[in-house]
Amino acid sequence: YGAKRERSGVEVYEASRDGNSPARLGLLGDLRGALDQGDVELHYQPKVGFDGGVVGLEALVRWTHPERGRVPPDEFIATAESSGLMPRLTEYVLETALAQVARWRDAGLTVPVAVNVSSRDVHTPGFAGAVAARLARHGVPPGSLQLEITEHAMLEDPQKAADTLAGLTGHGVRMSLDDFGTGYSSLVHLRKLPVSELKIDRSFVARLVVDAEDAEIVRCTIDLAHSLGLVVVAEGVEDDATWGRLRDMGCDAVQGWLVSAAMPAHEATAWLRARDDAPEPVAGAEPVRR
Ligand code: C2E
Ligand code: MG
Ligand code: MG
Ligand code: MG
């Protein structure tokens, strides 16, 4: 009850199905403990260009509860946000991701990592400076870090959030606009934001092949993003047909189960190495894409 199977076969706990707030409160206390005990880890999902080149890896938080099994981020991110636990979670994620980038670099694997940041983060004074200090401490160049933010996360105080983004890009950190199309996307807004990448939400990508309207939305979004000089990544690409349509539409990169699900660090390392050893795709030939 309250659990379903994830693709990996791991039991997934869903607090939303339990429905009662004591469950959520219990979960919250557990999350606090989990951060202390190391039950929270990061998995990494590749962003890959249509030539097969790896554009970066997105760090996604994974929490394995001792009794409840895997608790999906969607179940605890919002709770962490409203409870004041978010700064600790973000600190943990940034710290772990930057240490991993440094480890990969030392192993000869140069790859940027993307970290998701929340509303709380971009409304916290001094966040940009703290990120810059953390980069310096790990000896990681700012260009190797990308921060993903949703439009929704900027709503509370758009000016304050925009200031944080400006601070971050001022330090050389690249910004990505996540889940594009699900918020109150305004063109004026988009033009003003210091982002260099736009991620088309999975909900549009999923039905791209069967739904003409979704296809049109995706095509227009790609053109719009390009006219603003942004790199476009499509989220949640699960099949070859979708991959092909996105390539034909001029999309720059994809992320999704077709390429790879998010992997623990050691698997991601092996995945990167296998890529590294792979021969460069020959011009005109079918690109390598799995
Ligand atoms: P997101 O940043 O939009 O991440 C993409 C989500 O789609 C991830 O879910 C990923 O595992 C999933 N996904 C990737 N490829 C596919 C696919 O081909 N098909 C389908 N159906 N799903 C795919 P996940 O890991 O459960 O994360 C959900 C959301 O939780 C993320 O959405 C992000 O908003 C948030 N999140 C995850 N990690 C963190 C974190 O460290 N900090 C913060 N603040 N939020 C995080
Ligand atoms: Mg993301
Ligand atoms: Mg997203
Ligand atoms: Mg999404």
Side-chain angles (χ1 to χ4, degrees):
Y1 173 75
K4 68 173 187 215
R5 288 218 165 258
E6 207 184 28
R7 234 172 92 94
S8 57
V10 176
E11 279 289 319
V12 176
Y13 170 76
E14 288 179 291
S16 58
R17 287 218 222 154
D18 275 3
N20 49 353
S21 60
R24 283 193 178 274
L25 285 178
L27 202 58
L28 190 62
D30 290 352
L31 178 58
R32 218 177 291 267
L35 282 166
D36 294 334
Q37 291 155 28
D39 289 342
V40 174
E41 60 170 350
L42 294 186
H43 283 196
Y44 298 89
Q45 186 181 38
K47 300 183 187 181
V48 174
F50 286 85
D51 60 358
V54 182
V55 181
L57 294 169
E58 179 177 7
L60 293 160
V61 71
R62 294 291 178 260
W63 175 18
T64 309
H65 190 284
E67 288 126 41
R68 291 161 165 171
R70 180 69 57 75
V71 187
D74 289 331
E75 294 290 340
F76 63 87
I77 293 291
T79 320
E81 186 91 318
S82 56
S83 68
L85 206 56
M86 204 61 216
R88 285 223 23 223
L89 184 64
T90 300
E91 195 181 30
Y92 167 81
V93 174
L94 274 171
E95 195 58 31
T96 308
L98 291 178
Q100 188 59 58
V101 173
R103 228 173 282 132
W104 277 328
R105 183 203 47 207
D106 293 347
L109 298 164
T110 311
V111 62
V113 166
V115 165
N116 293 281
V117 292
S118 74
S119 174
R120 195 72 280 119
D121 299 321
V122 293
H123 290 96
T124 299
F127 180 71
V131 170
R134 212 176 277 284
L135 280 161
R137 207 169 334 113
H138 285 278
V140 170
S144 294
L145 178 66
Q146 193 177 34
L147 296 180
E148 298 192 1
I149 182 165
T150 62
E151 294 162 286
H152 184 79
M154 303 192 60
L155 283 181
E156 185 185 310
D157 185 342
Q159 188 52 56
K160 198 181 259 181
D163 288 348
T164 300
L165 263 53
L168 287 163
T169 53
H171 287 298
V173 174
R174 291 172 307 131
M175 297 300 308
S176 173
L177 195 56
D178 208 347
D179 298 353
F180 187 79
T182 59
Y184 299 90
S185 316
S186 135
L187 301 186
V188 180
H189 196 202
L190 184 58
R191 191 171 55 80
K192 280 203 216 139
L193 284 178
V195 298
S196 53
E197 179 184 279
L198 184 154
K199 297 181 77 174
I200 305 176
D201 192 67
R202 183 168 84 227
S203 58
F204 302 106
V205 175
R207 296 176 43 77
L208 179 64
V209 174
V210 291
D211 187 319
E213 271 179 23
D214 282 358
E216 193 58 16
I217 289 170
V218 170
R219 198 185 56 76
C220 289
T221 304
I222 292 169
D223 292 347
L224 165 71
H226 283 165
S227 72
L228 294 170
L230 307 180
V231 169
V232 191
V233 179
E235 298 185 327
V237 177
E238 297 184 359
D239 54 71
D240 286 306
T242 307
W243 185 93
R245 286 293 293 276
L246 287 162
R247 180 197 50 192
D248 295 348
M249 287 174 175
C251 187
D252 301 299
V254 297
Q255 212 180 346
W257 294 341
L258 176 69
V259 179
S260 172
M263 304 168 268
H266 67 275
E267 272 179 43
T269 305
W271 188 92
L272 286 168
R273 279 201 203 291
R275 286 266 156 170
D276 232 29
D277 295 342
E280 288 298 310
V282 180
E286 264 299 288
V288 184
R289 53 191 148 106
R290 278 188 209 247

